[in-house]
Amino acid sequence: MANEMTFFCTQCGTRLSGKKPCRNCGFDIHSDKPYGDTSPIGAGGSGWSDAVNDPRYAGYQWNKRTYITLFSLLLVISIPLFLVLSGDLDLDREGIIVIAVVSIMFILIAVYAIRSTTRKGMEWTGKIVDKHLLGGPMDNPYIVIQRDDRTMIEVPLDDDLVLYDYYKVGDVIKKHNKPNLRTLEKQDKRNDVVLFCPSCAYQGDTRDNYCRACGSPLLKGK
């Protein structure tokens, strides 16, 4: 597993200082054999994770909302300013209308993006009964899940073939729909060698407890 984007200790979740060992637990992800002789097979455990209510998920979503807000404000200010300074837009009535329309557009996009980080829904469990690639060997991967209420749903995997390989027909799946956690979790992760961060989707090792990229807990069984 590559060590790039390692900002947090994968064992205790403490923010790291460069490539130094964790100041809290001493774990050194950059050592030659950070996990010793522990195999990734079996490290993911089995059963639903107890970490689903961890406050770190809320912290990640708060940071995400903050970045969205700041980036949107930057666009609202910088784009009209650039158009005015470049001479492509005059500060007359028509120019002011254009600035207002552009600003409202970016604000609405930001509001929609921020609301998407707070929505919640019904949680459910089911089993993967099929998986497909549409449009060719590299396009539109999705899995088909039969929920416990017998409803059939198709879940797109955003052209991520690693995720497509991760999910197997027969896997029992739980959909978490909490305000700060919206993700799919496999019940049995004992045969997996990777875990996907439920916050940022970064691919981690099953021997990790926390995401090295954002510090969120990984969903591991017992």
Side-chain angles (χ1 to χ4, degrees):
M1 189 70 63
N3 285 337
E4 59 267 23
M5 289 188 68
T6 303
F7 304 121
F8 294 86
C9 176
T10 62
Q11 303 307 299
C12 70
T14 301
R15 179 175 283 277
L16 297 176
S17 177
K19 293 188 176 183
K20 298 179 181 178
C22 176
R23 65 179 183 276
N24 182 54
C25 69
F27 183 74
D28 186 2
I29 190 63
H30 300 287
S31 64
D32 292 337
K33 294 182 66 175
Y35 305 104
D37 295 325
T38 302
S39 171
I41 300 296
S46 180
W48 309 124
S49 175
D50 294 330
V52 292
N53 294 313
D54 194 289
R56 289 175 185 253
Y57 297 123
Y60 176 85
Q61 296 298 338
W62 173 263
N63 291 336
K64 186 175 180 180
R65 290 190 286 270
T66 300
Y67 295 146
I68 291 172
T69 300
L70 293 177
F71 183 67
S72 300
L73 289 174
L74 179 63
L75 292 177
V76 167
I77 296 171
S78 63
I79 290 180
L81 182 62
F82 172 79
L83 292 175
V84 170
L85 294 178
S86 65
D88 294 329
L89 190 67
D90 296 323
L91 286 178
D92 52 12
R93 184 173 181 274
E94 181 179 348
I96 292 175
I97 292 176
V98 170
I99 291 174
V101 170
V102 171
S103 299
I104 291 173
M105 179 184 68
F106 284 124
I107 291 172
L108 290 177
I109 292 174
V111 169
Y112 176 80
I114 289 173
R115 288 192 63 185
S116 70
T117 69
T118 61
R119 69 181 188 275
K120 60 181 179 179
M122 181 182 68
E123 297 193 339
W124 49 263
T125 57
K127 180 181 289 187
I128 297 177
V129 296
D130 204 356
K131 52 191 287 190
H132 292 287
L133 293 169
L134 295 180
M138 299 292 289
D139 295 329
N140 302 318
Y142 71 92
I143 55 177
V144 181
I145 300 175
Q146 183 179 51
R147 301 194 324 193
D148 289 347
D149 62 4
R150 314 302 292 180
T151 303
M152 304 291 289
I153 61 171
E154 296 180 353
V155 179
L157 300 178
D158 300 324
D159 293 331
D160 191 332
L161 294 182
V162 177
L163 267 180
Y164 183 77
D165 291 335
Y166 174 75
Y167 291 115
K168 304 291 191 296
V169 173
D171 284 341
V172 177
I173 299 292
K174 184 172 186 177
K175 173 63 173 180
H176 297 287
N177 268 321
K178 299 180 180 298
N180 297 299
L181 181 68
R182 290 168 297 281
T183 190
L184 292 175
E185 180 187 2
K186 289 170 62 171
Q187 183 181 47
D188 191 348
K189 300 168 275 281
R190 290 173 295 181
N191 292 321
D192 297 325
V193 297
V194 299
L195 292 172
F196 294 87
C197 175
S199 291
C200 71
Y202 192 80
Q203 181 180 329
D205 193 292
T206 52
R207 293 166 291 189
D208 296 340
N209 297 318
Y210 295 87
C211 175
R212 67 184 65 202
C214 73
S216 294
L218 301 179
L219 299 182
K220 301 178 67 172
K222 298 177 176 61

